[in-house]
Amino acid sequence: MNRSAAATPTSRGGRRGGFGSVLALQLRTGWVRLLVWIVSLVGVYAATLSAISNLYPDDAALESYGATLDGDPTVAAINGTPYGATDLGGVAANEYAFIAAIAVPLMGLFLVVAQTRAQEESGLLELLRSRSIGARAPWLAAFLVTVVAFLAVGLGIFAAALAGGVDAGAVGLYALSISALGIFFAALATFVGQFVRRGSGVTSVGVGVLGMAFVTRAIGDVNDDGWKWLSPLAWQQETRPFDTDPRWWPLALTLGVAAVLAVAGLVLVARRDLGASLFAARPGPARAGGFARSSFGLALRSHAPSIVAWVLGALLVGVAFGSFGDDVEEMVEANPQLGELLGTGGASDQYTAVVLLLVALMALGVVGQGVGRVRAEESSGRIEPVLARGTSRMPWLGLQGGVVAVGGVLTLVLGGFGLSLSTPSDGGGSAGWDVVLASIDYVPAVLAVAGLGVLVLGLLPRTTWLVWLVVAYIALVGMLGGTLDLPDWAMSLSPLYAIGQVPAESASGWAVVWLSVIAVVLFVGGLVAFRERDVPRT
């Protein structure tokens, strides 16, 4: 192709069509992923609503719940300010708040990335573009499909709440606010995807924004100041659908910013080359050093950026949330019912245990993203030149999985260290190195999930989403297991629950030993399976 033909708008993809074909293809190949997300989010909300209805069967019980949480910094930091948590809808919204704040944004990020940047990395979009498909068509289709998926989530929440007897007007605003939150992060992925070349990079930036949003919302809610308005999570919360003064304008703010991000992303996509980003990559040295050519060097280079981002995020969460623990003991003294709600152990230790759970979930996020990154090395074909140069399969996967596992452990321990720096030493609970040691108790759980990831890569590489499914289940048990009244055997399937709520209670020695053994068995099994199967398997 000559230079003039290559420079035409048609070849750049800005003016070609194919939107309908791309939309049909994305629906045909991604409908299972969409269905799983929609059913999971709606199902968890419906289960939460049913559990709340059983736990608080009358108005007096619901009002008592709201009175217990009034002014509680623990709830404000983790779930946000519990506006209107004196009726069924408000209490269910508060209990569902953490799951919604994490799962809804991740859904928006993952759905857009899976059909855009991930497809560019694998080469599938290059095939589509060769058949007169415009540059904007895949991105526009992915964004619109995600928008419709979030509207389906909102509709499902609305239907479940109506069936439970919640006021239609209040739950309508709530459902729309949940949908708008997801649409915002889908738009963010559409925008960021034009500046970041790899799908894992887009996800990392999105998770970073989510982490900052979580922290700024927590700071603003605990201190009741303007910091929370920097967070899209607060925009959803500030609609206050179940309070006495519901607001529609934060919903318009969320959708307005989302529209700006989405339009900007769709405009910019036609200004870059396929597989590239708007900012050209910095050229590296002509020859790589010995370490950079080694399998370990390649693994570290591949995973280091995302690991560093997660570690910094965990440190920030630990330091920020630890500083909120100053008032926990005072709140419990003033409100004994709050102590009963926090559970066994001192109030300070219970709060520390909740924050350590958040840090442990971030460590599991490192594992989930790292497993996806390893899979991308195979599906994109980048693994073949490496193995062709004499690198053995088992050492390659072992180093990749090892770096991911170490990244998860670093995130966990350094997050615990950050928490120890700001946890008050005179708060009546664990502080200093006791908090760090408590975080180390969760290391076998992180290693077990990393071992599962290696096993999936070796045995069922097309199902790496199973690792994220396990992480989601662990989060569900940790944040909603008690509310949903899950049976003990179901709770014990979570490795974090099996170890215990450290430091509020002692870690289970048997769980630590068994999880360590399971981690080794899964890791070795994954390496053996990877050695025996075909590579690549796309």
Side-chain angles (χ1 to χ4, degrees):
M1 182 181 293
N2 60 41
R3 184 179 298 272
S4 61
T8 61
T10 298
S11 66
R12 291 288 295 231
R15 297 180 184 176
R16 291 187 293 181
F19 170 76
S21 300
V22 174
L23 180 62
L25 180 62
Q26 290 187 6
L27 290 174
R28 187 164 64 248
T29 58
W31 69 270
V32 174
R33 185 187 301 114
L34 291 169
L35 188 62
V36 168
W37 274 110
I38 294 169
V39 171
S40 298
L41 287 176
V42 175
V44 171
Y45 176 80
T48 302
L49 189 72
S50 175
I52 294 299
S53 180
N54 293 328
L55 286 172
Y56 304 95
D58 52 42
D59 292 342
L62 291 169
E63 290 176 2
S64 174
Y65 175 96
T68 300
L69 300 185
D70 186 30
D72 175 24
T74 306
V75 174
I78 305 299
N79 290 348
T81 304
Y83 295 116
T86 55
D87 59 25
L88 179 59
V91 174
N94 182 65
E95 292 290 327
Y96 187 66
F98 178 80
I99 297 296
I102 302 300
V104 170
L106 290 180
M107 175 180 170
L109 294 171
F110 289 164
L111 289 182
V112 171
V113 170
Q115 295 290 2
T116 53
R117 272 298 181 184
Q119 304 290 14
E120 287 192 44
E121 287 187 66
S122 66
L124 290 178
L125 278 191
E126 186 174 6
L127 292 175
L128 286 176
R129 292 282 299 278
S130 69
R131 301 183 62 84
S132 300
I133 300 297
R136 294 191 184 100
W139 289 86
L140 178 59
F143 178 69
L144 292 181
V145 167
T146 306
V147 168
V148 172
F150 279 118
L151 292 177
V153 169
L155 185 61
I157 289 175
F158 181 76
L162 277 187
V166 181
D167 176 69
V171 77
L173 177 56
Y174 175 71
L176 284 174
S177 70
I178 293 291
S179 297
L181 176 63
I183 291 170
F184 172 87
F185 277 90
L188 179 67
T190 303
F191 179 74
V192 172
Q194 314 317 318
F195 297 90
V196 181
R197 191 163 61 91
R198 298 195 183 278
S200 59
V202 178
T203 304
S204 295
V205 173
V207 170
V209 172
L210 174 59
M212 291 298 297
F214 201 89
V215 170
T216 54
R217 194 270 305 148
I219 293 173
D221 280 338
V222 171
N223 298 324
D224 194 22
D225 58 29
W227 274 97
K228 61 184 173 184
W229 290 107
L230 298 176
S231 169
L233 300 179
W235 303 346
Q236 183 271 323
Q237 169 190 292
E238 287 298 322
T239 56
R240 305 184 183 187
F242 301 101
D243 204 9
T244 54
D245 60 338
R247 303 170 172 180
W248 287 88
W249 63 265
L251 182 65
L253 173 63
T254 306
L255 292 175
V257 176
V260 171
L261 290 173
V263 170
L266 293 172
V267 169
L268 293 173
V269 70
R271 300 178 182 271
R272 65 172 178 84
D273 293 325
L274 182 66
S277 62
L278 286 170
F279 297 136
R282 181 171 57 88
R287 292 182 59 85
F291 177 75
R293 292 198 303 269
S294 68
S295 296
F296 177 64
L298 288 172
L300 192 62
R301 181 181 178 87
S302 176
H303 297 286
S306 61
I307 289 175
V308 169
W310 280 102
V311 167
L312 292 177
L315 269 171
L316 178 62
V317 166
V319 172
F321 279 70
S323 65
F324 301 149
D326 292 331
D327 301 326
V328 172
E329 291 287 349
E330 295 179 8
M331 288 294 301
V332 170
E333 290 178 5
N335 188 353
Q337 286 182 301
L338 179 59
E340 297 176 7
L341 185 66
L342 287 173
T344 58
S348 180
D349 278 347
Q350 280 293 334
Y351 177 73
T352 301
V354 172
V355 180
L356 276 182
L357 174 62
L358 294 181
V359 172
L361 292 175
M362 295 181 73
L364 296 180
V366 175
V367 174
Q369 187 174 14
V371 169
R373 180 68 180 152
V374 177
R375 171 58 181 162
E377 292 295 306
E378 180 178 2
S379 61
S380 66
R382 290 190 294 269
I383 187 178
E384 294 178 79
V386 175
L387 297 181
R389 293 176 61 87
T391 302
S392 299
R393 294 186 183 189
M394 290 179 68
W396 181 86
L397 182 58
L399 287 170
Q400 293 279 340
V403 169
V404 170
V406 170
V409 172
L410 283 175
T411 302
L412 173 64
V413 176
L414 292 178
F417 176 71
L419 178 59
S420 73
L421 294 178
S422 57
T423 300
S425 58
D426 57 350
S430 301
W433 287 108
D434 290 337
V435 177
V436 178
L437 293 175
S439 69
I440 294 175
D441 287 332
Y442 280 142
V443 167
V446 174
L447 295 180
V449 176
L452 174 65
V454 173
L455 181 66
V456 169
L457 287 166
L459 199 61
L460 301 168
R462 297 188 183 95
T463 60
T464 51
W465 53 266
L466 284 172
V467 178
W468 280 111
L469 187 63
V470 170
V471 173
Y473 181 79
I474 294 171
L476 179 69
V477 169
M479 304 308 298
L480 280 177
T483 300
L484 298 177
D485 196 23
L486 295 176
D488 189 63
W489 66 265
M491 301 273 281
S492 298
L493 292 176
S494 164
L496 298 183
Y497 178 84
I499 288 175
Q501 287 185 299
V502 292
E505 57 188 43
S506 299
S508 169
W510 280 107
V512 168
V513 172
W514 275 108
L515 285 171
S516 300
V517 172
I518 289 171
V520 173
V521 171
L522 292 176
F523 203 93
V524 172
L527 297 181
V528 173
F530 185 69
R531 183 188 63 185
E532 299 299 324
R533 72 170 173 84
D534 294 333
V535 177
R537 183 185 294 175
T538 58

